[in-house]
Amino acid sequence: MEYRFRKDTLNDSYRVDFSMGHEAFGSWLLNELGTDSAKLASLMTSLQQVKSQSSDHETLVEGRDFSLHLTCDDVIVRANSLNIDSELPDGEDFSHYDDESASACGIEDFEQMLESWRDFFGG
């Protein structure tokens, strides 16, 4: 998983770019975590707890727009809107939006990304 963090010095906003297939992590990072040091510390604690548990232990961290599913090996971010059961009109193909709605990576990669994010924004 590759990523790049940038800060717009004109309005103090942040932008993140993630490699193809991991775009949902960028949306989750800005929309759910942002630069909230307390949320980040809580999430890092949850990661350590999950990593120290048995292989069948799972944790769900629900957010407003995205939720994280943590296991001792993997992290999955998924847009909450994907949980709505509705059918698309015939002929509509939205599969190319999947990467922006759900992504997965290894727990170590996720933890390293969070540490890089913390270092970047100074949290």
Side-chain angles (χ1 to χ4, degrees):
M1 173 170 67
E2 295 180 20
Y3 47 85
R4 182 173 65 171
F5 307 132
R6 294 182 285 173
K7 182 176 182 179
D8 185 336
T9 56
L10 295 176
N11 62 9
D12 286 333
S13 66
Y14 292 93
R15 179 178 165 98
V16 297
D17 297 309
F18 277 76
S19 58
M20 183 179 261
H22 296 103
E23 293 95 335
F25 282 107
S27 298
W28 168 85
L29 185 63
L30 290 179
N31 295 329
E32 301 295 341
L33 187 62
T35 57
D36 187 330
S37 297
K39 279 186 181 179
L40 178 58
S42 176
L43 181 58
M44 295 298 274
T45 299
S46 294
L47 282 174
Q48 293 308 314
Q49 290 171 346
V50 167
K51 287 171 61 174
S52 68
Q53 299 293 325
S54 64
S55 62
D56 61 340
H57 183 76
E58 300 175 359
T59 299
L60 180 65
V61 180
E62 293 185 71
R64 186 181 71 246
D65 297 322
F66 288 87
S67 294
L68 286 176
H69 181 88
L70 309 172
T71 70
C72 66
D73 297 318
D74 301 310
V75 177
I76 300 169
V77 63
R78 183 175 164 90
N80 294 337
S81 62
L82 294 177
N83 297 329
I84 299 172
D85 290 331
S86 63
E87 289 189 31
L88 295 173
D90 288 339
E92 297 289 331
D93 182 15
F94 292 98
S95 61
H96 60 284
Y97 292 110
D98 288 350
D99 290 342
E100 296 173 13
S101 300
S103 298
C105 71
I107 197 164
E108 288 84 11
D109 289 340
F110 183 72
E111 186 174 24
Q112 182 179 17
M113 180 274 296
L114 290 177
E115 290 170 355
S116 296
W117 176 244
R118 180 185 58 214
D119 293 344
F120 179 77
F121 79 83

